[in-house]
DNA sequence: ATACGATCAAATATCACAGATAACATCAAG
DNA sequence: CTTGATGTTATCTGTGATATTTGATCGTAT
């Protein structure tokens, strides 16, 4: 600690801020699948110029949260049944793998922390499922794997999933119940150090959230979610 | 010849080309772990301006192939035993998973194609292991999974692995023999549609390539690989 | 219906600025 | 006078902004 207790100046890195803002918007499901974005619009909304937006966008493209269209515009990946299944498989595979590693390093303190996370009361005016708490719960768990390589990949999957969240979020109440079940099961499995049970709970959690996107509901939902490209 | 073995680019889709050129350099192990890069130098070597280089670099950072240092410069990730183990685990996990999916869609034509890939004679003047053929072999296999989500993640892992290739590559002959064994075993397992055998062969392949980076050899190798930061 | 041109957005190049680094000069102590 | 430390400056870096170029799309006129 320094002598005068002067905090280091958090010199604003615009590019990071822009990225963080867009990422947040994604994880809150603010972007509708298929929506078309343009750099100038984003720059204006964020009160900055094109350059930082461009770099943030480039990163989002690398992470699969946005795609380049042939006509040089940007698009939120359109809803696509096949892609959704693909994403589900990827999430189940990667997240159960990391969960297995995390459980090698699991300790009582972390389990307690997980419990406090899910007991945090949802914000007063919050109506939907508690997305932030759910994110925290999963990643507090995964961070115990200490995998600097895999955690960013899982973040990228969640980001891609974020666009679909826009659709899932309509099933707020059902989803909230499922989450609660999952959190309870997971804590129990962790306390018993029962890997198979923990992985099974996680698998069920991921799959159930995707189930709200079943094919028969797709048409109705895409209409709700706003504009559809092409 | 310039430092990084990056060929100059002709004017068209610059951003993609810059990215492709740097990516190629990585997968050929041209970048030494710990090496420091700067945008102006890269732009000059590539015969273009900073802007496209910045975007390509931004993408490589997002993929973990480069890292931002606190002092705002760019660096090839330094060698790190822990990170290496992490990367190995990630590769084994993700690639065996995708292999499993690919085998659900496997057909004779693809197996034949794989066989022609490994039978392609190495370029006349080529001395090291046939990196391109090996890459082709793996990804032709993985592409059969039709996973638009997971393939880019695996590409990212290979890119991170690329920096270590710079070190592994010194064991050229041993590596070449291992690769040959692997390709043979894999084809055989695919023909029998034996998933466990195929996964075991893949696991062995990945792990053996990392074994050349065992701790006792580390010191010697980092010296060879060029400059060391800090 | 096709072709041409107007219009708009993205890609690139260039410019201006601020942080970081390192070489250099200056000064003090032995 | 030498040596070590400290303050200064020159230079190099990435970042953000802006001007210019390129390419695509859509409307209109033939």
């Amino acid at each position: 600690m320094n002598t005068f207790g002067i905090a280091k100046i958090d010199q604003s890195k615009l590019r990071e801020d822009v990225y963080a803002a867009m990422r947040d918007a994604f994880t809150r499901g603010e972007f509708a699948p298929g929506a078309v974005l343009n750099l100038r619009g984003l720059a204006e909304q964020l009160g900055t110029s094109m350059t930082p937006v461009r770099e943030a966008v480039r990163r989002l493209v690398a992470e699969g949260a946005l795609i380049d269209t042939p006509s040089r515009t940007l698009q939120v990946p359109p809803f696509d049944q096949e892609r959704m299944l693909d994403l589900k498989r990827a999430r189940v595979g990667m997240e159960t793998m990391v969960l297995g590693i995390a459980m090698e390093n699991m300790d009582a303190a972390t389990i307690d922390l997980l419990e406090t996370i899910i007991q945090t009361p949802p914000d007063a005016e919050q109506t939907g499922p508690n997305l932030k708490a759910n994110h925290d719960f999963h990643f507090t768990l995964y961070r115990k794997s200490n995998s600097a390589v895999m955690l960013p990949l899982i973040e990228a999957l969640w980001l891609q999933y974020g666009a679909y969240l826009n659709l899932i979020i309509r099933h707020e109440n059902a989803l909230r119940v499922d989450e609660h079940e999952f959190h309870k099961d997971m804590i129990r499995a962790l306390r018993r150090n029962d890997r198979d049970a923990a992985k099974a709970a996680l698998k069920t959690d991921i799959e159930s959230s995707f189930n709200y996107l079943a094919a028969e509901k797709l048409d109705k939902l895409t209409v709700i979610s706003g504009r559809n490209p092409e």
Side-chain angles (χ1 to χ4, degrees), chain A:
Chain A
M1 180 43 107
N2 68 35
T3 321
F4 304 105
I6 301 175
K8 242 187 188 158
I9 294 175
D10 185 6
Q11 80 140 28
S12 66
K13 299 184 71 176
L14 226 37
R15 184 187 61 217
E16 278 304 315
D17 292 346
V18 168
Y19 171 76
M22 291 193 67
R23 180 194 193 96
D24 276 6
F26 264 101
T27 57
R28 286 204 315 273
E30 301 272 354
F31 291 94
V36 174
L37 307 176
N38 70 75
L39 296 182
R40 284 182 169 79
L42 290 170
E44 184 157 356
Q45 283 186 35
L46 292 159
T48 180
S49 86
M50 283 177 63
T51 312
V53 173
R54 190 183 200 73
E55 302 207 11
V57 157
R58 227 10 81 196
R59 181 165 170 189
L60 290 166
V61 169
E63 290 168 338
L66 288 175
I67 54 179
D68 286 313
T69 67
S71 59
R72 315 203 288 178
T73 60
L74 294 162
Q75 191 183 31
V76 181
F79 187 89
D80 179 314
Q81 185 78 8
E82 197 180 340
R83 186 183 170 82
M84 186 197 78
L85 291 170
D86 195 8
L87 189 53
K88 179 167 73 175
R89 257 185 337 197
R91 278 197 56 194
V92 169
M94 288 232 58
E95 294 179 35
T96 55
M97 170 162 53
V98 169
L99 173 62
I101 299 169
M103 286 182 80
E104 294 170 13
N105 312 323
M106 193 49 62
D107 52 50
T110 304
I111 300 178
D112 291 345
L113 176 59
L114 288 169
E115 218 152 22
T116 67
I117 289 173
I118 60 175
Q119 279 163 6
T120 304
D123 283 340
E125 87 295 355
Q126 183 167 355
T127 59
N130 196 338
L131 295 178
K132 178 159 185 338
N134 191 44
H135 181 278
D136 279 358
F137 185 88
H138 279 83
F139 281 89
T140 302
L141 196 48
Y142 302 153
R143 256 192 300 277
K144 267 312 224 184
S145 71
N146 292 320
S147 176
V149 170
M150 293 166 103
L151 284 177
L153 300 185
I154 295 180
E155 287 276 9
L157 292 178
W158 276 62
L159 214 51
Q160 294 181 45
Y161 168 74
Y164 295 156
L165 212 52
N166 181 290
L167 306 180
I168 291 177
I169 212 167
R170 311 228 130 239
H171 294 274
E172 329 178 318
N173 294 324
L175 195 60
R176 202 210 289 253
V177 171
D178 284 354
E179 268 177 23
H180 185 241
E181 276 312 308
F182 161 64
H183 293 145
K184 258 181 11 191
D185 290 349
M186 178 59 76
I187 299 265
R188 200 159 32 217
L190 291 176
R191 283 243 147 82
R192 293 203 318 267
N193 197 31
D194 182 341
R195 277 191 212 175
D196 291 337
K199 288 189 182 180
L202 179 57
K203 189 165 187 282
T204 302
D205 173 58
I206 295 171
E207 287 177 346
S208 77
S209 77
F210 275 95
N211 279 345
Y212 294 109
L213 293 173
E216 57 271 21
K217 297 170 188 158
L218 174 58
D219 294 334
K220 186 172 39 159
L221 287 170
T222 46
V223 172
I224 293 172
S225 81
R227 47 178 309 174
N228 220 0
E230 284 133 333

